[in-house]
Amino acid sequence: MAAPGLYVHVPFCRSRCVYCDFCSTTRGGEADRWLAALARDAETAAGQWGEFDTLYVGGGTPSSLALEQLESLFGTLFDNFRFDPDAEITLEANPADLDRETAAQLAALGVNRVSLGGQSFNEEVLAFLGRRHRADEIGRSCGLLRDAGISRLSIDLISAIPGQPLGSWQETLRQAV
């Protein structure tokens, strides 16, 4: 039987994208209260499972948390749950949230895979979707993460956007590859 994986949903975003139907809020001021509640829940659940082989921190936008909050989040998880030493530890991130310091901090926290919410390499499409990053920030973020030692990357992309020409989608795919 395969080891279980753990998913933690961080419900905070700095802004709300027009297409999003995930449970999320832009009330980031509530993150500390949420972290405290998560810590209580994790303490209650500690010891109920064996070792996890994956940890996926999704959302929302986990990268919208302050570095101290990310430290608290990962501290809570690692203090209360066991993870395989080779576990894949993934965090979802908006390219606009990543700088050299944040990338290094993610690596120091044990993150070994980042899923970037790029959505498109086309500025008009990003504006239509309500994204707060620019297309060039996607590649920049990939470089920062690799420099920090995080080589496992994925990029979320959205296709079939109303009015999007096929050539625009093909160019996004080309740039992603």
Side-chain angles (χ1 to χ4, degrees):
M1 180 181 208
L6 178 62
Y7 174 82
V8 177
H9 183 82
V10 177
F12 301 101
C13 294
R14 291 195 179 140
S15 60
R16 185 93 171 149
C17 299
V18 298
Y19 59 86
C20 184
D21 62 356
F22 292 105
C23 177
S24 64
T25 180
T26 58
R27 296 186 311 250
E30 296 179 9
D32 288 332
R33 283 185 42 220
W34 176 82
L35 286 164
L38 177 71
R40 288 189 301 274
D41 285 349
E43 289 170 10
T44 301
Q48 292 185 23
W49 295 279
E51 193 171 73
F52 292 105
D53 68 354
T54 57
L55 169 60
Y56 193 98
V57 181
T61 312
S63 63
S64 68
L65 295 176
L67 291 178
E68 301 79 29
Q69 292 169 326
L70 286 170
E71 288 174 3
S72 173
L73 171 64
F74 280 92
T76 291
L77 297 174
F78 292 137
D79 287 348
N80 290 286
F81 302 107
R82 291 189 353 233
F83 294 91
D84 181 292
D86 296 321
E88 183 171 84
I89 311 293
T90 302
L91 180 118
E92 288 185 350
N94 183 304
D97 295 336
L98 297 176
D99 56 23
R100 193 165 306 285
E101 179 186 9
T102 303
Q105 182 67 22
L106 293 176
L109 290 172
V111 173
N112 56 28
R113 179 175 174 268
V114 171
S115 176
L116 286 173
Q119 313 316 349
S120 178
F121 283 87
N122 181 292
E123 295 296 343
E124 292 174 7
V125 170
L126 290 173
F128 174 79
L129 294 173
R131 300 296 294 171
R132 59 184 177 82
H133 69 275
R134 297 180 321 274
D136 65 347
E137 290 179 290
I138 302 168
R140 178 194 58 80
S141 295
C142 289
L144 291 171
L145 292 164
R146 286 188 178 116
D147 289 349
I150 301 172
S151 60
R152 292 186 235 174
L153 305 173
S154 63
I155 302 174
D156 294 343
L157 300 173
I158 297 179
S159 66
I161 296 164
Q164 180 184 28
L166 178 60
S168 168
W169 172 240
Q170 290 171 327
E171 179 59 19
T172 282
L173 290 176
R174 186 193 68 72
Q175 289 188 48
V177 171

